[in-house]
Every structure is written in structure tokens, then in C-alpha cells.
Amino acid sequence: LSSEALVKHFRSHAFLNTASWGMNMQDNYNMLKTLYEVYHPDTLILASSIVEFEKSDKLVNYSLLKEYLTSTDFKATLYHLKFFNLRYYMDNINYKKMVRADKHRYEYLVFDANGGINLEEEGFKIDQHRWNASFEKKDLDTLSYLYLDSISTFCKNKNIEFLFFQSPFRKGIYTQLDASKTAALSIHLKKIETI
């Protein structure tokens, strides 16, 4: 999402992009509940794709996240010291340099004032596997639709305007889906519309 476009559209700088690759609907729901306690948003924009309806594969300590977000600068520094892992930093020092320097890669991690990341279009290094990938039907999790429903219900109960966008597949992928994946995508879209 373009922070600049959203700030301009909503005429407000009170916009925070908390998206991250690899999140699914369960992660989105848990993150929403945690962030609501800190920020009290009046609008939620969720740009989604079918892969966000896959099974969850991570554990996040959301109470620790809330503590961190509401801590003072001094206390936040203490969290870094408490969880400091020298081996991790040594193993990833070159990777850290790359994610902070190369706007032409998916991994780029320099955030704008609203939490967005602005990748460079010209000369972007496209990963052919990622560019040509679609989704695996076996990885879809029916619980994810319940989490989307929970997000919708949570927003309704808290008077949050919920704007949901299902990202399309580009033409080169969509036209190459086999019949079973096309049917699975159609079912997926109908479930979302129902929710």
C-alpha cells in the first residue's frame, strides 16, 4: 500500500501500515486485537490474497508486543537487551545491511513515516519463482475464513470501518491455473463475499 496515496485520500497522517508478508488471517485477527488496545483505529484496510488463508505456521507473543508498543524508549531498549542474541546478529549482519540498502529487493526494510515500505520499480530484482507462483489448495485452512469473520465482527463491535480488498492474480498466472485451482479460487471468493 502506498502511504502517500492513503494519507492523501483520507486527508490524515494518522495512518499506520502494520502489514507484513507471511501473515495469515489468524495473525491478522490477533494483531488487530492487540493493536486496537494501543491505537483505537476507526478504519481497517486489509489487502489480502488467497495465500493469507493458509495454515498458521508461527507463534507470536502478542502480550509482549503490546508491552513493547506501550513502553517508554528506555524500557524498549531493555527489551532489546533482554532478548539480545549475539549469534543471530553475527549470522545476519550482511543480510541486515542488504535489507536496509537495496530498494530493488523484496526484503527491503526501510519504513516510511506511516510504516510502509517503498520499493523501487526501475531495476527491481524479480524472483521468478515468486512471480510465477499461485497457491496450493492443500495449504488452505477453513479456520482462516472464521478468522476473517472474526475480524469483521470485531470491527463491527468496535465501530471500525472495515475495507477488505482481495488482490487479483495477474493475467499470466490466472490464465494458467488448472481447473481445480480455478474452482478453489472461485469458492474462496464466494466465501469472502458471504463473510
Side-chain angles (χ1 to χ4, degrees):
L1 291 174
S2 166
S3 295
E4 184 180 330
L6 288 168
V7 165
K8 183 178 177 183
H9 175 80
F10 287 107
R11 296 184 179 96
S12 170
H13 286 277
F15 162 69
L16 180 62
N17 186 340
T18 61
S20 178
W21 284 354
M23 292 180 72
N24 65 13
M25 283 303 137
Q26 180 179 351
D27 301 322
N28 289 328
Y29 174 67
N30 291 326
M31 182 71 85
L32 171 62
K33 288 194 320 181
T34 302
L35 294 177
Y36 180 81
E37 294 179 32
V38 178
Y39 298 109
H40 306 293
D42 56 24
T43 303
L44 171 66
I45 301 169
L46 181 55
S48 174
S49 68
I50 194 170
V51 295
E52 286 182 77
F53 288 80
E54 294 178 353
K55 293 176 179 72
S56 184
D57 63 351
K58 67 189 86 50
L59 293 172
V60 177
N61 184 336
Y62 289 98
S63 61
L64 180 61
L65 173 62
K66 181 184 173 194
E67 283 179 37
Y68 180 77
L69 291 173
T70 57
S71 68
T72 62
D73 287 344
F74 175 74
K75 193 171 179 185
T77 302
L78 291 179
Y79 280 111
H80 288 285
L81 293 174
K82 180 179 179 182
F83 297 102
F84 183 75
N85 179 333
L86 182 60
R87 170 61 35 210
Y88 172 83
Y89 284 99
M90 296 303 292
D91 289 348
N92 288 286
I93 195 162
N94 290 329
Y95 182 72
K96 180 184 175 197
K97 287 178 187 174
M98 186 272 296
V99 299
R100 292 183 164 274
D102 195 348
K103 286 183 167 188
H104 300 92
R105 291 181 178 270
Y106 297 94
E107 298 91 350
Y108 183 61
L109 284 179
V110 175
F111 301 94
D112 64 23
N114 300 99
I117 296 174
N118 301 302
L119 302 173
E120 191 65 44
E121 182 181 356
E122 294 260 336
F124 189 81
K125 297 171 180 94
I126 294 174
D127 175 329
Q128 289 303 315
H129 175 74
R130 176 174 267 166
W131 181 251
N132 293 312
S134 60
F135 65 95
E136 293 300 326
K137 293 185 313 178
K138 66 179 176 48
D139 294 335
L140 296 177
D141 185 12
T142 54
L143 281 176
S144 294
Y145 298 97
L146 296 176
Y147 280 107
L148 176 60
D149 186 66
S150 295
I151 291 169
S152 180
T153 301
F154 183 90
C155 288
K156 184 175 181 179
N157 291 339
K158 301 292 185 183
N159 294 316
I160 300 170
E161 182 180 15
F162 182 30
L163 306 173
F164 183 90
F165 297 92
Q166 180 64 44
S167 300
F169 282 104
R170 65 182 177 82
K171 186 177 182 181
I173 296 297
Y174 185 76
T175 55
Q176 293 179 17
L177 293 177
D178 62 32
S180 66
K181 280 193 178 180
T182 301
L185 181 59
S186 178
I187 290 167
H188 167 75
L189 295 173
K190 285 178 182 163
K191 285 181 181 178
I192 287 172
E193 286 175 14
T194 301
I195 293 168

